[in-house]
Amino acid sequence: ACVLYHNFAPLYILIPAALTPIPAVLLQLGGSDDPFGSSPRGLHWAQFASSFLGSGLVAVPILLHTTGTIELEAMGLSLGGFALLAASFGAAAYLQRRGDDETLLGIGA
């Protein structure tokens, strides 16, 4: 999107992309303070912060187009790249969580 239109403003999407995993990483580094708790302390805050920062992956290209900084096609390329990345992570999570005895699409052998 940047090279096609000689406008490097779509690179601003890298800021929320870099900040999104930070709350989850900090939660993993902090450990659990409550030995009897079922979830680590601060889990919901980490989920909220990651979701808040991750919404910038969709919002930044839309706002840049709304203000006239980038063209519609550049916004579409940025959002399409995010959709492809999200679909890849979703497929990887699905394939990782399914059982070993299942075959493709969860249909048993």
Side-chain angles (χ1 to χ4, degrees):
C2 298
V3 174
L4 291 176
Y5 300 102
H6 303 289
N7 184 357
F8 291 93
L11 285 177
Y12 289 134
I13 198 171
L14 295 177
I15 295 170
L19 293 177
T20 299
I22 290 176
V25 170
L26 291 176
L27 180 68
Q28 292 295 324
L29 292 176
S32 177
D33 293 333
D34 185 14
F36 300 107
S38 60
S39 64
R41 191 171 178 193
L43 175 67
H44 299 295
W45 283 108
Q47 290 171 341
F48 170 75
S50 291
S51 299
F52 176 76
L53 293 170
S55 66
L57 293 170
V58 175
V60 168
I62 293 172
L63 289 173
L64 287 174
H65 173 65
T66 302
T67 60
T69 307
I70 63 173
E71 291 82 10
L72 178 66
E73 294 83 7
M75 180 189 75
L77 284 172
S78 293
L79 292 176
F82 168 69
L84 183 63
L85 183 68
S88 298
F89 278 117
Y94 169 75
L95 292 174
Q96 185 179 17
R97 290 188 184 193
R98 71 180 184 150
D100 293 333
D101 57 21
E102 295 179 5
T103 60
L104 187 62
L105 298 176
I107 303 170

